[in-house]
Amino acid sequence: MNKFEQLGLSESLLKAILDLGFENPTEVQEKAIPLLLEKDTDMVALAQTGTGKTAAFGFPVIQKIDANNRNTQALILSPTRELCLQITNEIKNYSKYEKGINVVAVYGGASITDQAREIKRGAQIIVATPGRMQDMINRGLVNISQINFCILDEADEMLNMGFYEDIVNILSTTPDEKNTWLFSATMPAEVARIGKQFMKDPIEITVGAKNSGSATVSHEFYLVNARDRYEALKRLADANPDIFSVVFCRTKRDTQAVAEKLVEDGYSAAALHGDLSQAQRDGVMKSFRGRQIQMLVATDVAARGIDVDNITHVVNYQLPDEIETYNHRSGRTGRAGKLGTSIVIVTKSELRKISSIERIIKQKFEEKTIPSGIEICEIQLLHLANKIKDVEVDHEIDNYLPAINNVLEALSKEELIKKMVSVEFNRFINYYKKTRDISNQASGSERRDDRDGAPRENNNGGATRYFVNIGSRDNFDWMSLKDYLKETLDLGRDDVFKVDVKEGFSFFNTDPEHTDKVMEVLNNVQLEGRRINVEISKNDGGGRRDHNGRSSGGFGGGGRSSAPRREGSFAPRREGSGGGFRSDRNSAPREGGFGGRSSAPREGGFGGRSSAPRGEGSSDRAPRRSESFGDSSRPRRPRRD
Ligand code: AMP
């Protein structure tokens, strides 16, 4: 008898488990399943995501409902659409040999009528997000007055997200005799209150020590100055060429800014946050699962329910406000028995938070130092050598070999190896030999403007700042205005910067060499019948560029500008593309890619727009979703509505 058979599960479930390849029950399954099968009981289970808790409640619920009865018998509430769909899929997989069981997912952002129609056909199990469920109850589209089971999954997260009222309202329309099973990673007061209010003598089970981090996750922190946060992130990525990670930021704005900066610097990254449309989020998640994205930069809320195996690192670019949230973050890695690392980039003033987290997760952090440039070069070099060793040769290349041999035949084997590796290596070494080490330099003199951790540009003087009489009233935001100016003035991707859009007017910068052109061309342009007026502003706005379009003083000197981009990553491809989220047909992997990221960023880049925000850190508004995230339908020119 295998261990699943000992739990008392039915033949059809055991068959499905065999198909799924689960060999042994996880701890939460071992503890919860026999109890839930045997008794009609309420239960509180403290278990994190990744512990197998979906099956821990899913198997018993499937076994206990009556497939011949079409009424809704079980309601599973979950915090996010992603998790809701994930649970629905899992339950469908588990119940595939049970005849007549229907599971319906109910969540916002999709047609409520379609969902209602599906429920009408008979849904014994509904998996729902609280907001949409409440909506359906209010409209009389669902009947949960006869359910036998209510499962609150990730209860702490649902309450974190402000669903208390909805949950209470939903629960109050369910019968008192039902069993409630509450699953939560932590037990804050609000969760305990729900438990007290709606549950009768629940059996409590805890997986591992209460609130403890998963044993498969190791925790590291890196102490840096606030202004080096972004540089530290890049170095950590460079030092882990096969990184497949979720990078957590505190706000949507930082999430977007960090992702865009990473894309601009040649990494395969994308943002995931609540300002993206559902279609955009789905697209990002699809690419992340497909590993076309190596660094998913996410807010806590958006990352809930991400069920992607083999995430190697969770990076806390900024620590969460609520320390408990750290547990949720680090639980994204070290899943299904795999090892994972949770990294915190921390400043001196935040150090005390590390000790608080250690107390909560009952695990120690290891303090590590950001790798030096030379260490990164070594890692990358070896990685490249291994990549060359392991690459599968496509014999299409045979046709070209005679010509290639002609060019290279004079070189010895040693010379050839050196040169081959140098093709990629030179870029890294050239970059890193000019940068300073950034580890352990936290001095308490963190710059105010870097406190929020979003990448910033240097504010050097020397540029020409202009005032122009068009602004948001003309349907511009800083990105569309920048595009418009570049097109109208026929300037390059980095020639217009520090664009700051107000309602009736805007400011922007160029290098002084473009001043004459700007004044002459723009003052003779009409926008929808109105003359554009541009003047040189007294306010210099900061921000001069060197010839590479980088902020001067950045590359090499300050050590916090762009990482060495890979061939082609200067991205003229984005010019005029209008949107970054391209389909595969346009997306030949970029050349080379020292560091051999498992999937090079594709042409057009995630989050890539015609111009990523470089100087616009000063803009007081976050990039808006439809414009900033690859919405190819974004008008290139302003429209009047
Ligand atoms: P969960 O905590 O429910 O999100 O599950 C995390 C992952 O572990 C999911 O991909 C499940 O399919 C998988 N899983 C659940 N139970 C087992 C098991 N007993 N053995 C192996 N994998 C499992």
Side-chain angles (χ1 to χ4, degrees), residues 565-579:
R565 292 152 185 249
R566 284 171 282 156
E567 289 300 336
S569 68
F570 252 98
R573 68 199 178 284
R574 293 202 205 114
E575 286 291 296
S577 72

Side-chain angles (χ1 to χ4, degrees), residues 240-255:
N240 293 283
D242 287 324
I243 194 168
F244 180 53
S245 62
V246 184
V247 178
F248 284 97
C249 294
R250 243 191 325 246
T251 65
K252 292 177 202 167
R253 184 185 171 198
D254 289 351
T255 302

